[in-house]
Amino acid sequence: MNNDKKYSQFALVREMMQTPDILRKFNLKNADDAVNSINKSGKLFFTGEGSSRIFPAKNAMYAARREGSALNLATDGGLQACNYDLAAFTVFGASNSGQTKEVIRLFDRLKTINHNSLYALTANKNTKLETLAKQTFILSCEKEQAVAATKSVAEQALFYQALLAGVNGKSVDKKLPQLADAFNTALTMQIKPEIIKAIANAHTIYFAGRNDGVAEELTLKTNEITRKKSDFLEGTYAVHGIEEVMTSNDVVILIDPFKSEFEKIKQTLVDGVGLKVVAVSDEETIFPTIKVPDIGELSNYVYLAAGWNILVEVGISLNINLDKPQRARKVGNEFIS
């Protein structure tokens, strides 16, 4: 992917290409009250729907747990969370539009029991969600034109990661230039045509990886961008029975794969099913590999960028209008007052 008209004619690509600069200039502001609330409660619940929750929340939780955080961190969608006792939790609700029905319903329910630690993260001002939150943070990326959320996903995720760093008295600021450069590299690197062809011709595109939001988010983006069927295979689920229904027409994309399982994956999926396995990794693997920069604890953003690159190339190769899905909407389930 690059800035050529072949790509830049699409708002989706233009917004993807804006992301490195958004990450580079990111600055967590006016978050002292939220940080204090999280420190006081020791419990943080992330909610939202689709892309506003999958990568932002799960990436933050994964990063915190890797660092040994003692915080009680959890996430679920808004309607399921209505069944939870969240009285002791600081709650963050992310919604680009600020009009997502499920998040609003949860916040409205929590307001009725006088929950006073509700925070919102949106890309728009003066929304219904803002009226229910104690404090609302507005993303700098501004409103997206493409249906598939991209730059907002990355900024939401960085907001949460910077917020949790602040809870621990740390900052991600010094790492942002390296992150922006690595993100841009992964986003614009050339991918071998045979890899793109195999993915474009696949019946189902599976993403396998950690439960850190990356592979799962790319699964959703596959539906929106390529119009292909896709599935997220958490951890090593790919070799725990699903091979029974896979076919040689499918493709599995491993995101930051577990090196210890390469031979098992080859034996089960490549030799057993006859399908194509592609790896996105910071080093070469036994599979066709899309190699990305290793930048430590912020590497998940780089894997996300590589995934975007793959999906755009696949969509372009299939002559798809990347900005206009047939059924998907920008606000999946909008609150109507």
Side-chain angles (χ1 to χ4, degrees):
M1 188 196 328
N2 54 48
N3 284 314
D4 290 348
K5 188 176 180 180
K6 171 184 176 181
Y7 302 98
S8 65
Q9 63 179 304
F10 299 108
L12 177 75
V13 173
R14 295 195 299 272
E15 288 165 357
M16 287 178 171
M17 297 294 284
Q18 292 167 11
T19 306
D21 199 44
I22 291 169
L23 297 176
R24 191 185 306 276
K25 295 178 179 178
F26 178 83
N27 184 17
L28 182 67
K29 297 179 180 178
N30 303 319
D32 288 350
D33 186 76
V35 168
N36 291 336
S37 177
I38 296 167
N39 272 321
K40 182 179 179 180
S41 67
K43 299 178 179 182
L44 175 58
F45 188 84
F46 304 96
T47 193
E49 304 303 317
S51 291
S52 286
R53 185 178 71 87
I54 295 172
F55 179 64
K58 293 191 175 185
N59 172 71
M61 293 166 62
Y62 179 76
R65 286 167 178 163
R66 285 192 67 179
E67 294 176 359
S69 173
L71 290 173
N72 182 345
L73 303 171
T75 184
D76 261 316
L79 294 187
Q80 182 164 327
C82 284
N83 295 319
Y84 299 163
D85 181 355
L86 297 174
F89 281 79
T90 298
V91 179
F92 256 91
S95 165
N96 285 339
S97 66
Q99 296 293 128
T100 303
K101 185 177 180 180
E102 297 90 337
V103 181
I104 289 171
R105 181 173 176 182
L106 173 63
F107 271 47
D108 188 55
R109 175 184 174 277
L110 293 173
K111 284 281 286 188
T112 64
I113 60 172
N114 298 316
H115 196 303
N116 60 4
S117 296
L118 304 178
Y119 298 88
L121 184 59
T122 78
N124 294 283
K125 297 179 180 179
N126 303 316
T127 64
K128 175 62 177 180
L129 184 58
E130 186 172 352
T131 68
L132 298 171
K134 180 180 182 181
Q135 183 178 3
T136 298
F137 298 89
I138 308 297
L139 299 173
S140 69
C141 66
E142 300 181 342
K143 187 176 181 179
E144 291 167 314
Q145 299 303 311
V147 169
T150 53
K151 61 181 181 178
S152 63
V153 175
E155 188 177 359
Q156 285 172 336
L158 188 55
F159 177 93
Y160 283 154
Q161 200 160 354
L163 181 71
L164 289 181
V167 170
N168 293 322
K170 299 179 181 179
S171 171
V172 299
D173 292 355
K174 292 182 179 179
K175 301 170 184 175
L176 297 184
Q178 182 188 21
L179 169 59
D181 290 344
F183 193 99
N184 187 68
T185 296
L187 192 61
T188 60
M189 67 191 298
Q190 187 172 1
I191 301 172
K192 293 179 180 179
E194 58 267 30
I195 292 179
I196 297 302
K197 183 178 180 181
I199 298 172
N201 290 336
H203 180 265
T204 300
I205 302 169
Y206 294 93
F207 284 88
R210 294 164 171 80
N211 190 21
D212 57 13
V214 183
E216 188 176 359
E217 168 64 16
L218 291 174
T219 298
L220 172 56
K221 286 294 171 286
T222 298
N223 301 145
E224 295 175 331
I225 296 173
T226 73
R227 322 295 199 261
K228 289 278 187 177
K229 293 181 180 179
S230 61
D231 197 5
F232 166 51
L233 307 178
E234 180 184 344
T236 58
Y237 179 36
V239 295
H240 284 277
I242 196 169
E243 66 269 23
E244 185 66 22
V245 298
M246 289 175 163
T247 75
S248 58
N249 294 322
D250 298 330
V251 168
V252 173
I253 302 175
L254 307 175
I255 303 295
D256 188 19
F258 298 103
K259 301 175 183 63
S260 63
E261 302 309 308
F262 284 170
E263 289 299 333
K264 181 64 175 180
I265 292 171
K266 179 179 181 300
Q267 175 189 344
T268 304
L269 302 183
V270 180
D271 301 336
V273 178
L275 56 69
K276 181 96 170 180
V277 173
V278 175
V280 182
S281 175
D282 59 18
E283 60 183 25
E284 294 295 333
T285 74
I286 65 173
F287 308 108
T289 302
I290 299 169
K291 189 176 178 181
V292 299
D294 178 7
I295 58 169
E297 66 267 33
L298 296 178
S299 288
N300 276 354
Y301 299 85
V302 182
Y303 287 114
L304 183 69
W308 290 356
N309 191 350
I310 293 168
L311 296 178
V312 166
E313 292 291 354
V314 169
I316 294 287
S317 74
L318 294 172
N319 295 314
I320 287 172
N321 184 335
L322 305 180
D323 291 335
K324 294 184 178 180
Q326 295 299 309
R327 303 182 185 92
R329 294 151 295 164
K330 187 62 181 174
V331 185
N333 191 9
E334 186 172 3
F335 171 82
I336 305 297
S337 58

